[in-house]
Amino acid sequence: VQLQASGGGLVQTGGSLRLSCALSGLTTSDNFMNWFRQTPGKEREFVAGIRWREGTKRYADSVKGRFTISRDGAKNTVYLQMSSLKFEDTGTYYCATSDRAVATAAGARAWGQGTQVTVSS
């Protein structure tokens, strides 16, 4: 299983970014795809998740209304559209698979490499 995350960068407060996570070597039929983020000294935290087959979505309270997770089956890619970015959204963002809906990193199965998002205040 390989997950390739991309799309991070430097953005001003209030700006937008779209992260992508390309999947390979995985049967996505009933997996969950998730985005987590981590800042130095803190645990990796759940940001958003989507059930691949049904498209059911879940979000951390801190990003509800600002972030949108989606998937493209033809491209085997998961996206995280981030809008109205805040300084506290800064961190390294990781995509990860799981067998069920998860709220912590412990529940994830496979991880992609991180992509850095920096929001300047």
Side-chain angles (χ1 to χ4, degrees):
V1 176
Q2 288 190 328
L3 294 84
Q4 183 73 35
S6 61
L10 175 64
V11 64
Q12 291 186 333
T13 299
S16 299
L17 278 176
R18 189 177 78 159
L19 306 183
S20 300
C21 178
L23 291 74
S24 60
L26 176 69
T27 300
T28 57
S29 60
D30 200 24
N31 284 285
F32 293 75
M33 291 301 305
N34 309 279
W35 286 98
F36 290 81
R37 65 186 180 192
Q38 188 170 25
T39 53
K42 293 187 177 181
E43 292 186 354
R44 199 167 292 188
E45 65 172 351
F46 173 81
V47 174
I50 186 168
R51 188 170 187 176
W52 191 272
R53 183 174 60 189
E54 299 175 345
T56 309
K57 305 174 183 181
R58 296 167 54 246
Y59 298 95
D61 289 342
S62 59
V63 306
K64 280 181 182 176
R66 299 188 298 119
F67 290 12
T68 302
I69 189 171
S70 62
R71 78 226 189 280
D72 184 330
K75 296 182 178 180
N76 254 17
T77 299
V78 176
Y79 302 99
L80 185 68
Q81 178 67 47
M82 306 185 294
S83 302
S84 302
L85 282 161
K86 303 176 182 180
F87 176 74
E88 51 264 40
D89 294 318
T90 295
T92 303
Y93 283 70
Y94 299 88
C95 57
T97 67
S98 62
D99 297 330
R100 55 182 174 82
V102 296
T104 67
R109 170 179 282 190
W111 293 89
Q113 93 291 358
T115 185
Q116 179 66 33
V117 172
T118 303
V119 184
S120 61
S121 59

